[in-house]
Amino acid sequence: MATRHAFRRLARRMLSNVPESTVYGGPRPQEAAAARRVTVTTLRGKHRRGEPITVVTAYDYPSAVHVDSAGIDVCLVGDSAAMVVHGHDTTLPISLDVMLEHCRAVARGASRPLLVGDLSFGCYESSSTQAVDSAVRVLKEGGMDAIKLEGGAPSRISAAKAIVEAGIAVMGHVGLTPQAISVLGGFRPQGKTVDSAIKVVETALALQEAGCFAVVLECVPAPVAAAATSALKIPTIGIGAGPFCSGQVLVYHDLLGMMQHPHHAKVTPKFCKQFGNVGSVINKALSDYKQEVETRSFPGPSHTPYKITATDVDGFANALQKMGLGEAADAAAAAADNSENDGKPSENS
């Protein structure tokens, strides 16, 4: 048995594209079999049993690793990256090619959650053929398991149906659909009148009929979300839609409280609960780093790990002297002497 385990470890090392020995000391590759992969079937089972579904929107490798480690069910690579990561005022500027870069980064970091990639504005509105082509790219080039598209106009319903018929899982999105702010007149909640509330439910039902496996309900009153959730046979994922949905989604940066600067208020929604105050921690860490660099207390001996022997220092200094680099030779010798003492350079270094 011990021999078998040793062979398996050796095989994993041989198959890995990560060098065994590097100058970096970061996290080791995750065990692929640590947890079972979440699929659309997994979500259907949770919905059938009445178990809430957890979704987090993330855009890069580090956040995907965190989402994976936390056991979140779905990682959504949202076009909100345009605002949260790239600093735009809306989601409209981001392109499909840029979205694919975000998708690939997330796919490298998250091995357990169902991965859903947004179709960005401009890559699926023209025709069902365009929509299918874009969805195929999100799976083949982006490494996603499914796509999400916004809206419930007849053309969007047709696009969703065509993508499903092409063999790709689709998550719908109704209520506040950020890509439609030109029509909506800004980031405005939906479903606040009888007609608008009925439209939310009808649109969600139409997306279900088109074959969507779930529908996001964004910024609608809780009774409207409750009605839609009751009417549908597929999960609803709420964001600013109250507690009666089948699951909830928040943006990674929002829920962690990363956006602490007042300028970020425009992209931090009022419905978001901050489960952490990471932004303040980041600000303090950066300030501490700046101070330690300026006072020359970083890096100290514990963060200067790579050594050269005294004999080699002498040989190095002699070689520098022969090159006519006397000051460089003196600097090397002084650094060697310094590392043997307190490791902190003098003010004149």
Side-chain angles (χ1 to χ4, degrees), residues 31-274:
E31 289 290 341
R36 182 175 296 178
R37 181 90 189 209
V38 176
T39 66
V40 170
T41 301
T42 308
L43 300 183
R44 289 180 181 139
K46 294 194 74 169
H47 180 238
R48 185 175 60 251
R49 295 188 297 270
E51 300 173 4
I53 296 167
T54 55
V55 186
V56 170
T57 299
Y59 315 105
D60 59 18
Y61 175 81
S63 57
V65 171
H66 290 156
V67 169
D68 187 282
S69 299
I72 300 297
D73 296 316
V74 180
C75 186
L76 171 63
V77 186
D79 62 354
S80 48
M83 302 172 70
V84 179
V85 178
H86 297 281
H88 296 292
D89 290 334
T90 72
T91 64
L92 303 184
I94 199 166
S95 68
L96 178 59
D97 286 335
V98 173
M99 283 297 303
L100 290 173
E101 289 291 344
H102 287 291
C103 288
R104 285 190 283 268
V106 167
R108 287 190 286 268
S111 60
R112 179 186 177 276
L114 182 78
L115 302 180
V116 181
D118 254 340
L119 291 187
S120 57
F121 181 71
C123 80
Y124 66 103
E125 294 86 352
S126 297
S127 67
S128 292
T129 299
Q130 183 200 31
V132 171
D133 289 345
S134 296
V136 167
R137 290 191 67 192
V138 171
L139 266 65
K140 291 187 68 173
E141 299 177 36
M144 297 289 100
D145 303 311
I147 65 96
K148 181 176 77 66
L149 56 75
E150 290 187 9
S155 61
R156 305 296 177 90
I157 302 299
S158 297
K161 184 177 180 181
I163 295 170
V164 171
E165 289 177 350
I168 298 171
V170 177
M171 176 181 284
H173 183 159
V174 300
L176 169 59
T177 48
Q179 291 178 11
I181 60 170
S182 177
V183 175
L184 299 177
F187 294 104
R188 299 179 182 276
Q190 303 298 299
K192 296 180 69 176
T193 67
V194 172
D195 289 344
S196 181
I198 290 296
K199 184 178 179 181
V200 169
V201 176
E202 287 179 341
T203 302
L205 286 168
L207 287 166
Q208 175 180 262
E209 183 66 22
C212 291
F213 70 89
V215 175
V216 172
L217 302 176
E218 181 169 0
C219 293
V220 301
V224 179
T229 301
S230 177
L232 293 173
K233 296 179 182 179
I234 59 176
T236 58
I237 307 299
I239 179 165
F244 304 110
C245 297
S246 312
Q248 298 291 330
V249 56
L250 286 177
V251 170
Y252 175 87
H253 299 70
D254 292 345
L255 73 89
L256 291 178
M258 292 183 71
M259 303 301 203
Q260 297 297 316
H261 194 281
H263 290 174
H264 291 130
K266 65 182 180 181
V267 297
T268 303
K270 64 175 66 176
F271 57 74
C272 180
K273 177 179 178 179
Q274 292 187 347

